[in-house]
Amino acid sequence: MASQHHLAKADENGENSRARGDGGHGGAATGTGAGSGAGAGPGAGAGAGTAAPDAARGGPGTPGNAPPGAGTPRSAPSPGGPGGPGGGPAAGGELKAGLKNRHLSMIAIGGVIGAGLFVGSSAGIAAAGPAILVSYALVGTMVVLVMRMLGEMAAARPASGSFSEYADQALGRWAGFSIGWLYWFFWVVVLAVEATAGAVILNGWMPAVPQWAWALAVMVVLTATNLVSVGSYGEFEFWFAGIKVVAIGGFIVVGLLAVFGLLPGSDNPGAGFAHLTDTGGFLPNGWGSILTGILMVVFSFMGSEIVTLAAGESQDPQRAVSKATNSVIWRIGFFYLGSVLVVLTLLPWNDPSITDEGSYVAALNSIGIPHAGEVMNVIVLTAVLSCLNSGLYTASRMAFSLGRRGDAPASFATTTASGVPRPAILGSVVFGFVAVFFNYLWPDTVFAFLLNSSGAVALFVWLVICCTQLRMRGVIERETPDKLVVRMWLFPYLTWATIGMIVFVLVYMLFDDVGREQVLLSLLVAAVVVAIAVLRELRGRRTAGHADGESHDLSGKT
């Protein structure tokens, strides 16, 4: 689901054909930039949707068993109280196991099909030619490895904050606090991007209704579905993702038939695989274009990891995580590599229609599919609504988890009788509305800063997952070896290799004109959040030490 990060402009006709194509944006058309990431938020803690404190799970956060470098153990609330400096676990309600197996299956599949895939691939094709397939394959491999690591931890310890909670336990409180808030920030910005994108498409169909009204309408409707129950979110996402799956599956089947001249009535001559090499070769722009392509496509994969969060609100989270992790390889191979391969075999990579109309619209037009642009508009709108729906769910569950750990206002940890974290949902959507407001008033200043400062968060999240898994593997093997049902391949060598790949992408972005701004602004925001986390932890330790000193003095006097 992810997210094809971010800023794209609708063209003057309101069509979905123009991809922006700059570094991390990868650009969407019709105002969409954030690719959908089917996402789902973290589920509840161990068992049937509960989010038990670390001490109750016997995790590494319990006293006497904290790993080196970990933060203050949180077996009991500190003097600061929930949400205070001490950051003790907040009391609150529990999430419910309301997601069915069919919901999770479709969330897992739909999670890799974002709006960025449909309308953003044209920029990568223009930059790298057929070699963009290598870029997709390399990023896809990196995502598969990250998913495997996350799946290992999530299957062993389902938790409402997923990688944020694991980072809290393995790396320290500062890490869980920081990555949790950065991830929340990323998704609430995506809410604004997707609401605006959907509004542009709907306004093109019904121009009498202003864009701001459409943005408000889609936000209100999807907020209402999330407020009802987790099951209503799952049902909406099931159908949204279903439409995306059918659309991309149909595109691949019809496209391959046309490629080999087997589609009756096709306008495409059907050149087989000739177009992969007949226009300047497979690497028309040199080996460096592969790296450029990586920067353009990496953010379209954001969201593929979130099914492990949604699994926590299912009846059998361990099974759900195992299934999703094992299937991520074919999902990426089929939907990403398969669909882009079809585009590159139907048309020469430098055909002007790919950038003018968008890669998928151009491919459909070459076959002779009537009204291809409008068909793609419907599909992109579905992807946008899916991302908006999932983004709100994801942000609210991360806020809930932060509240449970005392790292957010205690009200975020409360739920309704149906297990819905209403304050966390409303708090997230309010920020989303504010971001939409910024997008309409100051799109090139304030909103551009929000987009760019969250641009590299996806890579930060993946990097934290890798570092956390290095520590958590030993903890799980010592404490609950029977729960290690999903194992990272060739541990720890592939984990270190993945860390190296992510760091390389981040460093390479510094040498890219657009990527440089995203990395630097994202690092700036991350540094501020980490500083707040460290100061809170130091303050909590001083408060706890002062309390311990007073207790010792009193016991000495008695």
Side-chain angles (χ1 to χ4, degrees):
M1 117 176 123
S3 186
Q4 184 87 354
H5 218 57
H6 279 325
L7 193 58
K9 302 287 187 181
D11 62 20
E12 58 188 4
N13 296 319
E15 295 179 352
N16 65 330
S17 59
R18 183 168 298 133
R20 180 181 172 111
D22 44 1
H25 297 293
T30 60
T32 184
S36 118
T50 60
D54 298 340
R57 290 196 301 267
T62 54
N65 195 30
T72 307
R74 292 179 294 122
S75 57
S78 62
E94 302 293 346
L95 301 176
K96 303 290 185 180
L99 292 176
K100 301 177 181 177
N101 287 335
R102 65 182 179 88
H103 293 153
L104 286 172
S105 296
M106 199 58 72
I107 288 171
I109 296 173
V112 297
I113 309 175
L117 172 62
F118 290 113
V119 296
S121 56
S122 57
I125 292 173
I132 194 66
L133 289 170
V134 179
S135 302
Y136 273 108
L138 290 173
V139 177
T141 300
M142 183 170 67
V143 172
V144 166
L145 295 175
V146 171
M147 277 289 293
R148 188 73 182 184
M149 287 180 257
L150 181 56
E152 176 182 292
M153 296 182 290
R157 299 187 174 198
S160 63
S162 188
F163 51 83
S164 175
E165 290 202 28
Y166 308 143
D168 191 316
Q169 298 170 21
L171 304 178
R173 293 212 56 203
W174 65 272
F177 175 96
S178 302
I179 204 63
W181 277 114
L182 286 172
Y183 197 65
W184 178 88
F185 172 59
F186 172 87
W187 281 109
V188 292
V189 172
V190 167
L191 292 181
V193 174
E194 300 300 339
T196 303
V200 170
I201 298 175
L202 292 168
N203 178 256
W205 293 338
M206 287 176 276
V209 181
Q211 283 188 25
W212 67 265
W214 281 121
L216 177 65
V218 296
M219 289 277 277
V220 168
V221 169
L222 293 179
T223 299
T225 64
N226 275 266
L227 286 172
V228 173
S229 68
V230 65
S232 64
Y233 155 74
E235 198 64 31
F236 268 74
E237 192 56 32
F238 175 83
W239 292 105
F240 285 151
I243 293 172
K244 292 189 293 183
V245 168
V246 170
I248 201 70
F251 174 82
I252 292 174
V253 172
V254 171
L256 286 177
L257 290 175
V259 165
F260 295 106
L262 302 176
L263 184 67
S266 172
D267 296 339
N268 192 288
F273 295 117
H275 288 322
L276 294 177
T277 56
D278 63 4
T279 311
F282 187 75
L283 285 163
N285 296 326
W287 288 97
S289 63
I290 294 176
L291 298 178
T292 302
I294 286 176
L295 298 188
M296 292 184 171
V297 306
V298 65
F299 298 104
S300 67
F301 287 84
M302 185 61 173
S304 57
E305 79 286 347
I306 307 177
V307 66
T308 60
L309 284 69
E313 286 184 89
S314 67
Q315 296 291 345
D316 190 354
Q318 189 177 75
R319 177 178 176 273
V321 168
S322 301
K323 184 177 179 181
T325 302
N326 291 331
S327 65
V328 70
I329 298 176
W330 74 260
R331 287 188 277 122
I332 289 176
F334 180 77
F335 292 117
Y336 276 84
L337 294 177
S339 61
V340 175
L341 176 64
V342 167
V343 173
L344 290 168
T345 49
L346 285 174
L347 293 166
W349 70 271
N350 59 353
D351 191 303
S353 64
I354 292 179
T355 52
D356 292 341
E357 301 173 358
S359 54
Y360 288 76
V361 174
L364 291 174
N365 281 333
S366 76
I367 298 173
I369 302 295
H371 309 293
E374 287 305 311
V375 171
M376 193 55 58
N377 260 336
V378 173
I379 297 171
V380 171
L381 178 62
T382 302
V384 163
L385 295 177
S386 171
C387 185
L388 186 59
N389 190 40
S390 296
L392 181 56
Y393 176 83
T394 304
S396 65
R397 267 43 176 196
M398 185 57 73
F400 172 84
S401 174
L402 289 166
R404 287 296 297 261
R405 288 175 279 151
D407 291 336
S411 60
F412 280 6
T414 61
T415 63
T416 64
S418 57
V420 174
R422 181 181 296 165
I425 292 175
L426 294 177
S428 301
V429 80
V430 163
F431 191 95
F433 276 123
V434 171
V436 170
F437 178 75
F438 287 154
N439 191 18
Y440 282 107
L441 286 188
W442 304 292
D444 298 322
T445 53
V446 178
F447 192 67
F449 171 80
L450 292 178
L451 290 174
N452 287 318
S453 61
S454 62
V457 168
L459 294 171
F460 295 167
V461 168
W462 295 343
L463 189 60
V464 167
I465 290 172
C466 295
C467 295
T468 301
Q469 191 261 344
L470 282 173
R471 302 289 295 277
M472 285 293 287
R473 165 63 78 90
V475 174
I476 296 171
E477 286 181 332
R478 288 195 305 271
E479 298 180 359
T480 54
D482 57 306
K483 297 292 184 66
L484 202 59
V485 295
V486 177
R487 288 178 175 267
M488 177 60 184
W489 307 296
L490 297 177
F491 177 82
Y493 307 108
L494 277 182
T495 300
W496 281 111
T498 309
I499 291 174
M501 293 169 64
I502 297 171
V503 172
F504 174 80
V505 172
L506 285 169
V507 172
Y508 189 76
M509 286 179 72
L510 290 172
F511 295 91
D512 178 79
D513 291 339
V514 177
R516 183 184 306 112
E517 183 179 12
Q518 289 196 17
V519 170
L520 292 177
L521 287 178
S522 297
L523 284 173
L524 174 63
V525 172
V528 171
V529 175
V530 170
I532 294 172
V534 172
L535 289 174
R536 290 178 77 255
E537 187 167 340
L538 292 174
R539 182 182 173 190
R541 287 179 177 178
R542 285 197 300 267
T543 304
H546 180 69
D548 289 342
E550 289 183 348
S551 176
H552 179 73
D553 290 342
L554 290 174
S555 62
K557 291 178 181 179
T558 56

